[in-house]
Amino acid sequence: MLRYTTSRLLQAVLVTFVMSLLLFMLIGLMPGDPVENMLEGNPSLTPETMAQMRALYGVDQSLFARYGHWLYAALHGDLGYSSVYFKPVLEILGPAVIQTAKLLIATELISIPIAMVLGALAARKPGGWVDNLISLLAFASISLPGFWTSLILIIVFSVKLGWLPASGTPLLADAPIGDQIVHMILPIVVLTFFHVGPLVRYVRASMIETLNSDFVRTARAKGLSETTVVMRHALRNALIPMVTVLALGFGSLFSGALVVETIFGMLGMGKVIYDSISNIDFNLALVGLLLATIVTLFSSLLADLAYAWLDPRITLK
């Protein structure tokens, strides 16, 4: 296990290096640069000042030279400054990561138990009314657009009923925990709704296959209750394929957070990356996208380790 984990971590380092190069090149090929953005905001800048600023930001050098300088600085802990916020990149991404982490962790903790229960109920009698009802809800979760659902919830619970705030902007680290929870309710509900649907479909399909296995028939023949058979024997084995789905679905959940953060005015990772790309903020966009890559690689490693925990027959080499 230790040897496998070490090997995967080394692979992750290599992939991160390659991705940093590709992202740097792709972002560098975008039209415009940070200095041109500053010129739009202050057209009185002289050509001499513009040349000095280009030299300061390094945009007058080749892409490979700029990448070499950035990589050297990054390895020494300097990830650069944001040309939009005029702050170090880490000072901007730190609160954004915490903001998005709150949403994603809460969504996962709520979505997984709901998907497990609904998927198991639907798989017990495929084609029955319970299965049809759960499948209808799952397809609605997959089909409805996120921005539309967010707006409907805001209109109903914020504008009409006045029960919940329509904005998530007060979600600050130093805000009272009660205020943070209240402002997170609607965003978490939206993300959970869209995350549960695909999970329910995968749990249902995997459970149907598992319930027809020989070991399940043996458990029933021993006189075990249906609840014990489903929850203790079938569900654990059905969750093994779900681990990959959860790991790969984390990226789509992160993308969904972009819509939710935009609608609810929350300055999370998705919103920061979107704004940095729109404003040609090279350093912020690069580090933000690179961080998203690292999170995806880490979730994939956790999925492989979870395989061995769920099924002792699986060995990691």
Side-chain angles (χ1 to χ4, degrees):
M1 179 75 72
L2 179 60
R3 180 179 179 182
Y4 174 81
T5 304
T6 304
S7 174
R8 284 294 304 273
L9 289 175
L10 293 176
Q11 293 176 22
V13 172
L14 178 60
V15 172
T16 302
F17 167 74
V18 174
M19 284 299 299
S20 68
L21 177 60
L22 293 177
L23 289 173
F24 194 95
M25 296 302 166
L26 290 175
I27 294 175
L29 292 175
M30 292 173 58
D33 57 53
V35 178
E36 290 184 5
N37 281 357
M38 296 177 187
L39 178 60
E40 293 178 0
N42 186 9
S44 62
L45 291 176
T46 63
E48 292 77 11
T49 304
M50 291 289 295
Q52 292 176 358
M53 295 181 67
R54 287 182 180 278
L56 178 63
Y57 283 93
V59 295
D60 59 340
Q61 302 175 3
S62 66
L63 280 176
F64 286 101
R66 287 158 56 186
Y67 175 75
H69 293 311
W70 178 86
L71 182 61
Y72 178 82
L75 293 176
H76 288 78
D78 181 10
L79 298 178
Y81 277 73
S82 167
S83 61
V84 175
Y85 297 95
F86 299 103
K87 292 181 179 180
V89 167
L90 288 179
E91 290 187 12
I92 302 169
L93 289 181
V97 169
I98 295 175
Q99 180 91 302
T100 300
K102 292 177 183 178
L103 286 178
L104 299 189
I105 292 174
T107 300
E108 291 285 8
L109 292 178
I110 297 173
S111 300
I112 294 175
I114 293 176
M116 290 169 55
V117 173
L118 294 181
L121 289 175
R124 288 187 62 185
K125 293 184 178 180
W129 70 270
V130 174
D131 180 29
N132 292 333
L133 178 60
I134 293 175
S135 296
L136 177 63
L137 294 175
F139 281 122
S141 165
I142 297 170
S143 305
L144 292 176
F147 69 91
W148 182 83
T149 306
S150 301
L151 293 175
I152 292 298
L153 291 180
I154 290 175
I155 292 174
V156 174
F157 292 100
S158 299
V159 179
K160 298 294 184 181
L161 299 177
W163 292 353
L164 297 170
S167 172
T169 49
L171 290 178
L172 303 176
D174 55 350
I177 186 65
D179 291 344
Q180 295 189 41
I181 293 175
V182 169
H183 285 84
M184 287 177 67
I185 291 177
L186 284 183
I188 290 176
V189 167
V190 174
L191 284 177
T192 301
F193 177 71
F194 289 103
H195 194 47
V196 160
L199 295 182
V200 169
R201 300 299 300 167
Y202 281 110
V203 172
R204 176 187 178 276
S206 184
M207 279 291 294
I208 290 175
E209 180 181 356
T210 305
L211 287 173
N212 293 322
S213 301
D214 292 337
F215 74 90
V216 173
R217 285 192 287 268
T218 302
R220 284 172 174 161
K222 290 181 178 180
L224 299 178
S225 64
E226 187 67 15
T227 302
T228 303
V229 171
V230 172
M231 301 306 295
R232 292 189 57 184
H233 294 273
L235 185 58
R236 178 167 181 173
N237 287 273
L239 286 179
I240 295 176
M242 278 295 300
V243 173
T244 301
V245 176
L246 288 172
L248 297 178
F250 196 82
S252 61
L253 182 61
F254 185 87
S255 301
L258 167 60
V259 178
V260 172
E261 289 169 356
T262 303
I263 295 295
F264 290 96
M266 305 171 66
L267 193 61
M269 278 296 298
K271 186 70 164 56
V272 167
I273 292 175
Y274 175 79
D275 290 343
S276 63
I277 295 176
S278 300
N279 295 306
I280 320 180
D281 192 342
F282 289 164
N283 284 332
L284 187 56
L286 174 61
V287 178
L289 292 171
L290 199 57
L291 181 60
T293 302
I294 294 173
V295 170
T296 304
L297 292 172
F298 183 70
S299 63
S300 177
L301 173 60
L302 290 181
D304 289 343
L305 297 178
Y307 274 132
W309 177 74
L310 288 171
D311 191 348
R313 296 172 298 178
I314 299 177
T315 58
L316 300 177
K317 297 180 180 180

